[in-house]
Amino acid sequence: MPTHRKSLIREAVERLDRLMAIGESRLSAKQTARQQGQPDWTCSTGRIHSYKTRSVYQEQLIRFLKWTRATSGLRRLAEVEAHAEELATAYLQHGMQAGWSAWTLATTRSALRLFFGDRALAAAVTLPPRRREDIRRSRGPVAQDRELNPDHWQGLIDFLRATGLRRREVAALRVGDLNEAAGVVLVRRGKGGRRRLVPVLPGVEELLQQLQAGREPEERIFARVPSHLDVHALRREYAQALYRLLSGGALPPATGRLRPADYDRVAVEQVAVALGHNRVDVVLRHYLR
């Protein structure tokens, strides 16, 4: 009986499925790898620890595979893998010629390296530097802002400004996860499957009471989070407000090279924990400057 051959895209998606490690701590995985004598790879554990990373990487990989199929005619994953170095190098060079941003290029190469299990894939390609001033996401009004009426979502917006939760986190939040007395919110399953307590900024006590009043503990707090709401921008506002509160001072300088004296390291670490991030440099670069 004839069998249907899987498409190139289907083969790739199934491999990504096998690379998923939701609920497994990225830090623990790196520590285990070191204990087993494996080289330390600072940018990846070789697994995917969050749904957001999976979504981003899958999007980049599908674009790469469609380009590969169109330009080389290869239609089996084994064939693509046999020429991975050559194809990845050509694809990144194509991206630079097409004017892709430094961030897109770096993300694409990271996705390809993880997918093909080759930490040095396309190392011969010198990517342009990623500069903070080139980041366009959530640093000013964007087109989608014009499609959202903030008045219809003011409670959600105020809540996100006070907690800095990710889109998936606030969508999953339940009434019982709010602790108004302690001034914290419980995130049951954040990035990488980790639980954390998030400090709530002062000034929204009445809102928290309204969100809890007369509702069952397991009821979702917000029935919907609009797709056009720039959650990341609100998350950034929260991070900056929390840093000012914890440090008692101003934000780190927006330009130039940071020195240890330019910021309160303890406050940055506390903000990182509240955001559910492991890396202080990410918080400094993407949230506080």
Side-chain angles (χ1 to χ4, degrees), residues 1-265:
M1 188 173 181
T3 57
H4 295 288
R5 189 174 72 182
K6 293 177 182 178
S7 70
L8 176 60
I9 302 302
R10 171 50 57 188
E11 286 186 286
V13 170
E14 290 183 355
R15 176 176 292 189
L16 287 172
D17 289 341
R18 294 192 294 272
L19 289 172
M20 295 298 287
I22 299 299
E24 177 184 336
S25 166
R26 185 174 184 272
L27 178 61
S28 296
K30 289 169 67 67
Q31 291 172 339
T32 300
R34 292 191 192 102
Q35 292 168 0
Q36 294 174 349
Q38 298 177 24
D40 184 18
W41 189 12
T42 59
C43 59
S44 176
T45 64
R47 306 292 300 281
I48 301 174
H49 296 267
S50 80
Y51 290 109
K52 177 64 175 177
T53 300
R54 165 65 184 267
S55 175
V56 172
Y57 278 18
Q58 180 166 313
E59 179 183 356
Q60 299 301 332
L61 285 162
I62 288 177
R63 288 180 181 176
F64 164 75
L65 292 172
K66 287 182 175 178
W67 174 88
T68 295
R69 190 169 56 193
T71 57
S72 68
L74 299 179
R75 294 183 174 275
R76 299 299 303 275
L77 186 56
E79 296 172 336
V80 175
E81 192 152 27
H83 300 279
E85 177 65 31
E86 170 191 346
L87 291 168
T89 297
Y91 185 63
L92 290 170
Q93 291 171 339
H94 159 74
M96 287 192 289
Q97 292 171 0
W100 295 357
S101 75
W103 301 92
T104 297
L105 289 164
T107 299
T108 299
R109 184 159 69 179
S110 294
L112 293 174
R113 286 178 169 179
L114 183 142
F115 183 77
F116 290 112
D118 184 350
R119 302 173 181 184
L121 188 71
V125 181
T126 302
L127 300 184
R130 292 175 289 178
R131 300 176 300 179
R132 188 188 63 83
E133 56 267 28
D134 292 334
I135 301 174
R136 294 289 178 262
R137 180 187 180 198
S138 303
R139 289 181 182 269
V142 293
Q144 69 181 32
D145 295 339
R146 295 192 294 271
E147 303 174 22
L148 182 83
N149 186 342
D151 293 339
H152 295 166
W153 303 96
Q154 199 57 56
L156 172 61
I157 291 171
D158 289 344
F159 182 82
L160 287 170
R161 282 198 177 111
T163 60
L165 301 188
R166 298 180 175 92
R167 180 180 295 276
R168 290 179 61 89
E169 294 170 349
V170 71
L173 203 65
R174 302 179 186 277
V175 173
D177 297 333
L178 299 185
N179 188 332
E180 182 203 346
V184 295
V185 170
L186 170 65
V187 173
R188 304 189 192 192
R189 192 177 183 86
K191 188 174 183 178
R194 295 186 293 271
R195 292 166 66 94
R196 74 180 190 280
L197 288 175
V198 178
V200 181
L201 292 175
V204 293
E205 293 78 11
E206 184 177 347
L207 173 61
L208 296 185
Q209 292 173 2
Q210 293 172 354
L211 292 174
Q212 292 177 294
R215 304 177 71 184
E216 295 297 321
E218 287 303 307
E219 183 180 347
R220 291 190 186 277
I221 293 179
F222 298 102
R224 177 172 169 249
V225 180
S227 60
H228 292 313
L229 180 62
D230 192 348
V231 175
H232 186 79
L234 299 172
R235 186 166 156 81
R236 191 165 182 266
E237 286 186 40
Y238 167 79
Q240 295 187 358
L242 181 60
Y243 175 83
R244 292 191 187 99
L245 183 66
L246 294 171
S247 68
L251 294 173
T255 58
R257 188 179 183 87
L258 277 182
R259 301 167 300 171
D262 290 333
Y263 60 93
D264 184 326
R265 174 83 185 192

